[in-house]
Amino acid sequence: MNSGPKSRALFNRAAKVMPRGVTSNFRYWGDDATLVVKKGEGAYLYDQDDNRFIDYRLGFGPVVLGHARKEITERVSQALSMGNTFAMTNEYEISVAEKICKLTGIDMVRFANSGTESTMGAIRVARAYTGREKILKFEGAYHGFHDYTLWNCYPPIPGAGYRRNPILIPQGSGIPRCLGDLVISIPFNDVEILERKVKENWQDLAAIIVEPLLGNQASIMPLPGFLDHIRKLCDEYGIVFIIDEVKTGFRIAKGGAQEYFKVKADLACYAKCLGNGFPVAAFGGTKKIMDEIGPLKIAHGGTYTGNVVAMAAADAALDLIAAGELDKVDAHGKLLMAGWKQVLDKTGVPYVIQGPAAMPGIVFTNEKVCTEYRHWAAGDHDTYENIIEALFRRGVMPDKDSREPWFISSAHTDKDADFALTAFEEAVKEVIG
Ligand SMILES: Cc1ncc(COP(=O)(O)O)c(C=O)c1O
């Protein structure tokens, strides 16, 4: 969908002072198509030309309680009068830490400002705690924009080599080659390869970091027992198990993936839904490991960590989540998934619908179940992206990138689901026939 005149004029202004007119590469959709937002309201997003979209991107996931949620803006407004940054602990911060621990079952937490910072923090703690330096990550998993994990996030296939021994590929230029020496990357959901790599490398392995479901690959789910197997190997070989809950946390269950999949991390990373879109993140875990953070031991800090605005937003968001708001998210997602199935079954085109209802994904593929990145990579992404384009024109906005699942908020209504499914049926007819 081409942008309207107001979006286009603002985009042209932006492109003069910001590369590609955006502040994140993922937001650039082409010179003629990059929209500029006017506002968000509940489940809706309005662009500068007053086109309304049912928003299933939700800013790449965080806005699980809907845009401009009253209870959150009110608590933030109240907090604003006390000032924001003090480089001192504030009461909101303590309250949020208590709520995170209660909801997720972790013992202690430290705050950060983004998911990227939270995974960086967890990795540093794991390295310090174990005295080892390597990390094992899975192909297709994304853990933020730092150089430590920007390897094999979505490598070209073919190009990334044999799946039993993938070639490490950095995500673009500027990432020091030497950091690749500290990364082992293997396919998700393959117990045999996992065991082999752990047995070969455990003396150097500080952490296994996992997206508990591949939320950056259309929500590929872990096979039953896979996360338990990682837990077992980590216990056996003294490796820190880091669960990156940046997408799943406070979305797929109150206690995130740890609750949903009944698995316990040593360290878990949170961001996105924690602040319903306000910039706040955290990492935390067992007291035994987290209590090692401190002066002359393990470094952690940041001028803005625990700032009042972010903490007030998280405080209000966690109250709403604790009160059961995610039930609505789940119910809406289930409606969409059932509706997609009805529409797609009529086409005869092979597809998979996967993921939890709070962040479901669709892949056009011959696989019966996608279990790893390479399954997603072999899918038909053009068809998916053309359907999304057709949805945009009908006022429904999931992300165009076929790696992104649809993100649901508690502000999405049954009426929105009807609208979105009618649009989906029309879009599928237009693209597939
Ligand atoms: C699983 C996961 N981890 C980490 C990050 C990085 O978070 P942020 O963009 O807040 O730095 C993301 C972002 O999408 C993510 O999906």
Side-chain angles (χ1 to χ4, degrees):
M1 190 184 99
N2 280 349
S3 50
K6 289 188 180 158
S7 262
R8 187 81 58 95
L10 278 167
F11 171 78
N12 289 338
R13 214 174 112 196
K16 292 201 176 99
V17 283
M18 304 191 291
R20 311 287 155 270
V22 292
T23 296
S24 160
N25 288 353
F26 301 121
R27 299 180 198 168
Y28 177 71
W29 298 341
D31 288 0
D32 298 336
T34 301
L35 301 181
V36 177
V37 67
K38 187 172 190 179
K39 64 171 181 180
E41 227 171 49
Y44 309 118
L45 178 155
Y46 297 83
D47 75 3
Q48 285 286 336
D49 294 280
D50 290 319
N51 296 306
R52 192 193 85 162
F53 300 92
I54 302 179
D55 187 5
Y56 289 109
R57 292 175 73 241
L58 300 177
F60 290 134
V63 192
V64 70
L65 304 167
H67 292 289
R69 180 68 186 249
K70 193 164 146 278
E71 293 89 329
I72 299 176
T73 47
E74 274 173 8
R75 197 158 317 171
V76 168
S77 306
Q78 271 167 21
L80 271 176
S81 60
M82 74 177 262
N84 191 42
T85 299
F86 301 100
M88 272 184 203
T89 301
N90 64 70
E91 197 172 344
Y92 285 110
E93 193 179 345
I94 301 167
S95 168
V96 176
E98 287 168 349
K99 286 172 188 171
I100 293 175
C101 291
K102 189 162 175 218
L103 286 171
T104 66
I106 63 177
D107 301 330
M108 297 184 108
V109 67
R110 276 280 178 104
F111 290 105
N113 302 297
S114 67
T116 297
E117 270 185 50
S118 74
T119 58
M120 275 175 77
I123 288 170
R124 170 162 323 140
V125 170
R127 285 180 166 148
Y129 184 77
T130 57
R132 305 171 184 167
E133 292 199 335
K134 287 192 180 173
I135 54 168
L136 187 148
K137 80 174 281 284
F138 294 92
E139 249 181 13
Y142 174 65
H143 301 293
F145 249 112
H146 54 76
D147 295 347
Y148 299 122
T149 54
L150 270 182
W151 300 85
N152 285 11
C153 296
Y154 39 104
I157 308 286
Y162 180 34
R163 67 182 284 286
R164 282 176 66 79
N165 277 306
I167 297 165
L168 261 187
I169 301 186
Q171 192 60 45
S173 302
I175 297 169
R177 270 268 149 218
C178 60
L179 290 180
D181 294 343
L182 301 180
V183 179
I184 296 166
S185 160
I186 58 171
F188 193 55
N189 272 328
D190 191 316
V191 169
E192 193 263 320
I193 298 179
L194 173 70
E195 285 224 1
R196 181 167 54 82
K197 287 289 180 191
V198 169
K199 283 179 184 159
E200 281 167 12
N201 294 282
W202 67 269
Q203 274 130 325
D204 300 319
L205 265 182
I208 297 179
I209 184 166
V210 60
E211 267 194 85
L213 60 99
L214 295 184
N216 289 284
Q217 304 305 333
S219 288
I220 291 176
M221 292 292 257
L223 288 171
F226 183 66
L227 298 175
D228 299 327
H229 206 85
I230 300 178
R231 174 70 276 167
K232 188 173 139 280
L233 288 170
C234 285
D235 288 341
E236 221 169 299
Y237 291 97
I239 300 163
V240 175
F241 184 14
I242 302 176
I243 300 192
D244 178 351
E245 296 248 31
V246 168
K247 273 191 168 164
T248 51
F250 310 110
R251 167 170 286 285
I252 67 170
K254 288 179 194 173
Q258 293 197 76
E259 177 185 327
Y260 192 95
F261 296 115
K262 299 186 177 51
V263 62
K264 193 124 185 65
D266 296 310
L267 296 175
C269 304
Y270 301 96
K272 304 212 184 237
C273 296
L274 173 57
N276 198 49
F278 281 81
V280 51
F283 65 94
T286 60
K287 183 169 166 35
K288 191 171 167 214
I289 300 178
M290 287 298 289
D291 226 11
E292 295 302 306
I293 298 174
L296 304 181
K297 292 173 96 182
I298 306 175
H300 171 252
T303 302
Y304 297 114
T305 49
N307 74 81
V308 171
V309 164
M311 290 300 120
D315 199 47
L318 292 183
D319 282 349
L320 290 163
I321 284 162
E325 199 84 8
L326 297 183
D327 294 345
K328 294 185 219 163
V329 175
D330 194 61
H332 189 90
K334 284 186 174 134
L335 281 181
L336 289 188
M337 290 168 97
W340 293 341
K341 181 172 178 337
Q342 268 187 4
V343 172
L344 292 175
D345 278 349
K346 284 186 225 151
T347 65
V349 168
Y351 73 91
V352 163
I353 294 171
Q354 59 194 12
M359 47 185 289
I362 305 169
V363 186
F364 291 105
T365 171
N366 288 316
E367 300 291 339
K368 289 226 160 29
V369 185
C370 291
T371 59
E372 61 174 276
Y373 166 72
R374 290 175 192 233
H375 291 162
W376 171 87
D380 172 3
H381 307 298
D382 289 345
T383 296
Y384 183 80
E385 281 165 28
N386 290 335
I387 290 172
I388 302 304
E389 265 294 320
L391 281 172
F392 271 33
R393 283 185 256 108
R394 290 169 171 83
V396 179
M397 188 185 272
D399 204 80
K400 277 192 204 179
D401 185 336
S402 55
R403 291 174 302 130
E404 288 290 333
W406 290 42
F407 289 107
I408 319 292
S409 80
S410 58
H412 286 99
T413 62
D414 288 359
K415 212 167 137 217
D416 295 328
D418 281 349
F419 186 96
L421 287 171
T422 304
F424 185 77
E425 183 156 27
E426 289 171 12
V428 167
K429 270 205 191 103
E430 186 183 312
V431 176
I432 302 178

